Amino acid sequence: MNAAVPEPTLVDEDAALMLAALGSMPRLAIFRSLLRSGARGLNVTELQEATQMPGSTLKHHVSALVDAGLLQQERRAREVYSMARFPEVRRLSAFLLRECCADEGRAALQTTCN
């Protein structure tokens, strides 16, 4: 049996980069749309429709999210799809919750952070 290998812990600098990228309303809208789309992702046209952003604005914000490690893109035939990088989303979530209620003890952690 192979045990699952835990993903490396996110370091502060990477978390700060990710959180900064999510700190704008357009980028947050893009990210949430891609989270909802799941592993399939969305092509540029679908993402434009979901966010109501012009192509040049969308490209700028998607690039920032890709640079932060939150999104990836791939070409499928003639279309480019953007997808959330779910392992990175999990790492960021774990980073944010890692010290949840640490000063209050384990009982508070179980009631507050679950």
Side-chain angles (χ1 to χ4, degrees):
M1 261 172 34
N2 291 338
V5 176
E7 298 198 19
T9 304
L10 200 58
V11 296
D12 290 357
E13 293 80 12
D14 292 339
L17 181 64
M18 291 175 175
L19 292 169
L22 292 172
S24 88
M25 293 297 289
R27 291 180 193 159
L28 188 56
I30 292 165
F31 187 67
R32 291 180 74 194
S33 294
L34 292 170
L35 286 175
R36 283 192 300 273
S37 73
R40 175 187 172 273
L42 298 173
N43 67 30
V44 174
T45 302
E46 293 167 328
L47 196 49
Q48 276 184 285
E49 290 171 3
T51 61
Q52 299 297 299
M53 283 183 212
S56 60
T57 302
L58 182 67
K59 181 177 175 153
H60 166 75
H61 289 301
V62 166
S63 291
L65 291 165
V66 168
D67 291 345
L70 291 165
L71 302 183
Q72 65 186 42
Q73 293 185 300
E74 70 179 43
R75 180 167 292 283
R76 298 180 196 158
R78 293 182 176 213
E79 299 187 85
V80 175
Y81 278 76
S82 297
M83 294 85 57
R85 293 184 66 206
F86 288 99
E88 295 305 306
V89 173
R90 283 189 291 277
R91 287 177 67 209
L92 180 58
S93 297
F95 173 86
L96 292 171
L97 293 173
R98 181 171 55 209
E99 295 183 41
C100 177
C101 306
D103 294 338
E104 293 185 29
R106 178 146 319 274
L109 173 66
Q110 290 176 349
T111 58
T112 306
C113 295
N114 286 332

